[in-house]
Amino acid sequence: MKKITTFLLALAMVFSLAACGSTANTDSGEDTRGNFVFGGHVGNVDPASGAYAWVGMRSGVMESLFKFDDSMNVQKNLVEDYSVSDDGLTWTIVLRDGVLFQSGNVMDAEAVKASLERTCSMQSRADKELNIASIAADGNTLKITTRKPNPVLPNCLCDPYSGIVDVKSLNEDGNATVGTGPFKLVEYVENDRLELDAFDDYWAGKPASKHVTIRANSDLDASTLALQKGELDACYGLPYDARDLFDGTSGFKISQAATSRVYKVYFNLEHEFTGDPNFRKAVCMAIDRDNYASVLVNGAGTPTKTTFPATTAFSDASMLTNVPDFDMDGAKALLAESGYVDADGDGFLDKDGKKVSLQIITYGRTGLPQTSQALQSALRQLGIDASFEQLDNTEDRGHAGTFDLSVYAEVTMPTGDSYSYMMNSYSTDGTNNFGRYSNAEVDQLLEKLSAEFDTDKRAEITKQIDQIVLSENSYCNIFHLNMYMAMKDTVEGLEQSPVDYYHINYKTCVK
């Protein structure tokens, strides 16, 4: 009986691997796993490299100590156990035993300490959110002491900037390319592709694909065609008008999830016209949230005034009584009441002898150019001369303040909590406070939120902050986005995550 059981278990393992057509030949020892070709974002995988930190995690090169499940709850990943001291300052984290970097070096507490310290020294957002005062390492035990109580430290240690890298294996340019994930980077061609080999000593199991190629999907029409022709096995970030080409179509399938990514308008509060609260309110009144969400992203948007999804404890639209609904006639009347008139009869408004002219900037993420063009059209209906410019990246212009309106997409719960987003976008010195928003009451509430451990109180403070900021029409939220991936129907181990950090994993393959 024992021999039969052993045989059946072995047979089950073979068929489990064969589900992706990627077994190692048990007779010859030949590795017959297949390759996987994915259309996605390409960039430096180093978690200290700003926005590109996401690439390292999405590609399966980097991992963080903790990760989110599909309900945005924090789960242990490279961690066995953890606890926090009574004063809320020191977190004791016991690391998972036997985890290796792709270099072959052991991931122990000293390695994690070096990784986190390096990232905090290079990335201001990581340093501010983690708020680490010191790290002590002993074997597999890590003790992180924060400058002040940080109730969401495990959440922050889920963020891609917290990806754990082998600092001993920096490349010649000083970039970190070696992580603990199932795939190791073997080639990076800027704006073109990533080439990844399976890391067969991966702690969770041998990867189902032998090699992964991630091709840049900068030309979305070309990526759509490449998937249709079978040149890609799967693709992320395709246009929403392309969704119907793959959903329910023979040979293809999609994976979709609601996310906290909000499409919004940043106003530059330091500029003449956008610094006027009534002018901003009129612009917000000209934005047809329902129509934008339905048409511009093919029904994949949920119209919203709130920053956080309605399904979360951080959202209460009933509090936003001063945030206007779509009302084009009302917007025109408000502008007229505020002294904006077409004094010279050229079809455009003037104020105090100056023509009202605005520049909208955005970048190429699906739905943003379309939203910007719709906004430009709405502004022209108001009599505002508006231009539109699409950039590869708007962050430099945002930090420099060289814009009037920026149509932007942001994940509002990158740590499964409200604080990270609000601190970066709403605080006076926030990393992503492109509009130069500043409110002393909001700064005080953010300081209170940063140290509050009670989850119900955190939700109430969050809603209070959102009410203040949005009632000033300093930002205009438009819709939350459902993200999707399209793929061949033979793809396994690839699903769209609500948090949008996780793409390629050790189960990803094509049969």
Side-chain angles (χ1 to χ4, degrees), residues 312-369:
T312 70
F314 303 122
S315 178
D316 187 353
S318 68
M319 296 176 65
L320 304 181
T321 54
N322 291 331
V323 178
D325 293 317
F326 173 60
D327 183 358
M328 186 65 76
D329 290 338
K332 291 177 180 178
L334 178 60
L335 288 173
E337 293 168 7
S338 304
Y340 295 89
V341 296
D342 181 8
D344 56 10
D346 67 350
F348 294 110
L349 298 177
D350 306 275
K351 177 72 180 288
D352 298 330
K354 295 183 179 180
K355 181 179 178 180
V356 181
S357 181
L358 300 179
Q359 183 187 48
I360 305 167
I361 64 170
T362 196
Y363 53 101
R365 170 175 282 278
T366 298
L368 286 179

Side-chain angles (χ1 to χ4, degrees), residues 215-229 231-232 235 238-239:
R215 295 182 183 173
N217 60 354
S218 51
D219 185 334
L220 298 180
D221 290 336
S223 293
T224 301
L225 182 60
L227 181 58
Q228 288 180 302
K229 293 169 62 178
E231 296 170 0
L232 297 176
C235 194
L238 291 177

Side-chain angles (χ1 to χ4, degrees), residues 24 191 209 249 258 260 268 270 281 301 307 323 363 379 427 441 470-471 481 506:
N191 299 321
S209 292
T249 300
S260 69
N268 189 333
E270 294 184 341
K281 183 175 182 179
T307 299
V323 178
Y363 53 101
L379 292 176
S427 68
E441 183 181 4
L470 298 177
S471 293
L481 186 70
Y506 79 105

Side-chain angles (χ1 to χ4, degrees), residues 141-186:
T141 300
L142 197 71
K143 286 185 180 290
I144 298 177
T145 301
T146 54
R147 302 181 190 105
K148 61 181 181 180
N150 183 358
V152 292
L153 182 68
N155 299 66
C156 295
L157 290 172
C158 294
D159 193 284
Y161 63 56
S162 293
I164 304 304
V165 300
D166 186 6
V167 176
K168 295 179 180 178
S169 299
L170 300 181
N171 67 15
E172 59 185 14
D173 295 321
N175 294 319
T177 64
V178 176
T180 63
F183 292 94
K184 54 187 176 182
L185 179 68
V186 293

